[in-house]
Structure formats: structure tokens, C-alpha cells
Amino acid sequence: MSVTPATPLRVGNASGFYGDRFSAVREMLEGGPLDVLTGDYLAELTMLILGRDRLKDPGRGYARTFLRQMEECLGLAADRGVTVVANAGGLNPAGLAGRLRELAARLGADVRVAHVEGDDLMPRTAELGLGDPLTANAYLGAWGIAEALNAGADIVVTGRVTDAALTAGPAAAHFGWARDDYDALAGAVVAGHIIECGAQATGGNYAFFTELAAAGHDLAHPGFPIAEVHADGSAVITKHEGTGGAVTTGTVTAQLVYEVAGARYPGPDVTARLDTVDLTQEGPDRVRVSGVRGEAPPPDLKVGLNSIGGFRNDMTLVLTGLDLDAKAELAERQIRAALRGREPERLEFHRASVVRGYPDRGGGPAELDAPVQDAAAVRLHVEAVDPDPGKVGRGFGAAVVELALASFPGFHATAPPADARPDGVRFTAVHRPAPAVPHTAVLPDGTHVGVPPPDRTRPLVPVPEPPPPEPWPPGPTRRAPLGRVAGARSGDKGSDANLGVWVRGDGEWRWLVHTLTVDELKRLLPETAPLTVTRHLLPRLRAVNFVIEGLLGGGAGSGARSDPQAKALGEWLRARCTDIPEAFLP
């Protein structure tokens, strides 16, 4: 890295998930100056996918896309002096590091490769009381990455580290931070959280995308984000000049409230206080992130477990025209009768509109006097799950299809019977003491350096809810979709959903904080009504965040929702109507 501690460290991101834009690595390397290029490949569901890969071939278990990207761009990164840090090692960081060394030798690239390991707890599941999972990985922090970089590594690949560690590690190494420089570390963690999901910080998946387009921002091919991290941990979020998308306080806020819980954002190295973040638009595509305070990390590390929780299958029938409730009731009665004596452990029926895609379990009403057939139809999803693959195999689908000439009028299915598939279950509420988890940096020369657990820790407790501002005064209102004034972004954390909602003015905040309560959320989203929902306030961001427990069943690889990772939950909420002060509406 060619910069000095007096200048910011330019950390770019080129991947937000396993399957993100392949060309982003080259685009980021060629698009402008960078010091570090990161890549985040490991979503919770990805660990399940890599676990299945490792079952087929023990030599796999890493993100093969990254290796192909390096085959194309390793020489380019070396020529430009850009350090590469990625968690693409997945379940086999040592294996990926070995493949990268072979690649570098073949290409004649003079690069030093290191890796970080210790997160894989599969050999110790019995000792740690983790059961019999498919994968078991602790979320490690930034200091193994920092050790590797301090030893001169040009490429560092890791297993399961926190997403933000990919930014915090290079920053800690570059600026020489101590392990108790909590404010600086917290600032880098927040910057890392903002850029970790790639183009989500530059206008991708943005609630007010139509406004960006109207302002002349090209969203056809958004650029990937860059964090210019300073020695005090503050950062400027930007992107390469001339690339698509936009970086605004809105796009940054949207990513800040993504998949977080309360004001304390815990990690292995530091707990960042999200209620201290200040955002300032410094210029076109430049947002300063400052004021972040940090605290000692919690004593325990999060451990992610993935298990094959049985097998699943599904069939989708189409109900058309009149008497949809009666047709659905008849189909369910007939299917349960056909499966009597071999009914799966879990058999669920739920409806969704073919065209409108109503997300609620009741499904939207089909359109009467519809000009096209699809508008007159709804889908009836039949989900079957059981530990015995025989109960949910092709025989399950065949039992449904056998009703084709003996059921409701208009009976047809969207696909023929298929084989059972593994049902992945994700458990996220598992923690183990940090000293119980090894954290090792394997340097370019093969030396193993142990990273000790933190000297100081602080139990994670919620921040007391701050007093709300004065309510917006009574006045004329108009019934309109919430999304006319509020943005939202949502996602998954295991079996729970996270839903962040923000507004852009102080008046709207005074209204939102008193209006969008837990009870109101449950009214607007009836699917959440029976569940435990917790609201957290982030006043500096004019945001509220909801954690909805159990919405996603067993997790992204298991749930029966049509949106198993809750990615569109926020957009459903924005489309729901409520009484909004006319002062806030066009």
C-alpha cells in the first residue's frame, strides 16, 4: 500500500455476495486509484451452499468465482499496487490460498498470499456443544487480516470473518491502531458495513431510485463503493468518477440500517454505536461519515450453524376465476386425504397473486372481469418438509398431480413433480466465549501467528430508547402509501427479519417516530402480528429499525415464504397505506 498514515486509505469493494457482478473486480481496478480492494462473498445462505460443496469434494468449500476473477485480474492488481482482501476462503481458506499461489506462479505474478483461519469449528462441535451441523463457523474480526498485511501480504483470504472486518483490518494495519482504539475501529466498522454490500451503497436496491433517475443518475450499471478511511476512523463514501449510480446521504442511510438491530452494532473487535453516526453530503457522490463512537466488544463471538434439517418439496397449483376460497379449501382437503398415512411432518398451503404478488399469506383477490387470464388467477403453494426424503419426493408431487381431473375447475400446476431437496436450516442465536475460538493468521512465509482474544470486553445490553421528539402537530392528512415519505430496506438474520425505515426531514421524523410503532407495524404487515417484534430508534439517521423474530422459519435456506430472505419486506411496508400529514406529500 503506497499511501501514508497522513492520507486516507482508499478501500473499494467489488463483491457483496457470492454471485455478484463478475466484472466488478476489473472495473474497480481500472476505474481509478485504490489502495485495497475487498470482496464479501459470504452471506449466511452461502455457508450452507459451500457446506454442500464440501460434502461433494473436501477440497472445495471456497468461492470459486473469486479464483476466476483473480485469474483475470491478479496481474492488474499487482501492477497497480492494490492489496486484495476477501472472505472468499469460505470453509477452506487454506485451500484457496494454495490455489492462488499456484495461479500466481503460472501467471508470473510476484504476489505474497496469506490467509486467516480458526473460524471453522466443525472438529470441535461436540466439545463446544454445537450439535451435529453441516457447518459451524465463528465470526472472527479484523486483527488476523491486520497481522497478514503487516507481514507484507498482497492478498489475504479469510473464512468467516465479519463483513466489516474486510475494511477494518486494512485500516488498523495501515494506521497502526491499537486494539483499544475503539472510536477509530468503530468508524472503520461502520464504513465497512456501508460498502460491504457493493452497489447497495451507490443506488442499488434504493427505495427512492426513481428520484435518482429523475436527477440524471444512470442506474443501469451502478459503480461499486469506496471508503476513504482516515486515521481517526472517519470516512468518506464515494465511487470512481464517471461510474453509474449515486452516493448520497440517502443511499448511505439505506445501507446503514440494513440488517442491523439496535444502536449497538457488535463485532469481535469493537461495538460501534450507530446512534452516534453523522452523515454529511460533502459534494457529488461524496458522503462523510463521522462522529462514530466505539465501545469494548462483547465477550462472546457469534457462531453460525448450518444444518440439513430434513428434506423439502413443493408444488404450485393455479386457482383461476370465481370461488377461489372454495377451490383452495377443496385442493387442501383432497391433498391431505391423498397423503393420509404418509403425510409429511410439515405441510403448508398459502396463496399469492400471479400478477400482483401479494406477500400476505392470504393472497390477494384475483381480478374480476380480468382482461388477461393471469390477472384472474392466484397461486396455491403447497410446501412439504420431512426428515424422510421418501415422504417429500416425487411421490408427494405425483399425489398432487393425480387430482388433476378430480379437483377444482381449471386445475393446473406450474411444474411437474420433482425430487426432494435438502432443507437447510440456519441457527443464528449461538454464541461462544471468544477465548474458546482460535484466530490464526498464516503469513506468506507459512508462519502461523495466533491472534489473542480482546483484553477488555463489555456485555452487550440495549441502549435505552432516547426520548422521542415532540409529535408533529395535528392537521389535515391524506391516506397514501407510507413509501411516499419513508424509505425502507430489509433483510434476513437467520430466522429473523430486519426492517429499517427512515425519513429525510425533521418534521417527517417527528411524525414517523410516533406513528410507526410496533402495533402499527403489525397492523400494516399482518404476517408479523403473532410474532415478537422489537423497535429500535436511531434519531441521527431519522430511522427506526424493527427486528421481527421467527418470520423466516428456519432461515433463508428453509423458510416457505416466497421471499425467504425478507428482501422485499420493506417494499411491502412502503406500499401499505396510512394517514400521512398533507404537509409531507406532493
Side-chain angles (χ1 to χ4, degrees), residues 167-185:
T167 296
H174 175 66
F175 294 114
W177 292 336
R179 295 191 63 157
D180 60 355
D181 284 333
Y182 294 132
D183 290 348
L185 285 166

Side-chain angles (χ1 to χ4, degrees), residues 448-522:
H448 286 59
V449 177
V451 178
D455 293 328
R456 293 167 51 196
T457 62
R458 175 175 179 160
L460 188 66
V461 296
V463 174
E465 187 168 294
E470 288 294 316
W472 184 256
T477 62
R478 190 189 324 156
R479 192 156 185 80
L482 179 65
R484 294 288 178 250
V485 296
R489 182 166 285 169
S490 56
D492 63 305
K493 282 296 178 185
S495 61
D496 301 338
N498 278 255
L499 172 56
V501 184
W502 79 95
V503 290
R504 296 176 288 182
D506 291 337
E508 288 93 334
W509 171 242
R510 290 169 59 189
W511 170 77
L512 183 78
V513 73
H514 290 281
T515 301
L516 194 55
T517 62
V518 168
D519 287 344
E520 177 65 0
L521 181 83
K522 290 186 173 186

Side-chain angles (χ1 to χ4, degrees), residues 403-425:
L403 300 172
L405 305 182
S407 189
F408 58 84
F411 181 110
H412 64 284
T414 61
D419 293 328
R421 59 188 184 275
D423 180 39
V425 179

Side-chain angles (χ1 to χ4, degrees), residues 80 232 287 299 309 391:
R80 302 211 168 192
D232 63 354
V287 173
K391 287 188 176 181

Side-chain angles (χ1 to χ4, degrees), residues 1 9-13 34-38 82-85 166 170:
M1 294 183 285
L9 182 74
R10 289 176 59 89
V11 182
N13 173 277
L34 280 182
D35 303 306
V36 180
L37 183 63
T38 67
V82 177
T83 301
V84 178
V85 180
L166 302 175

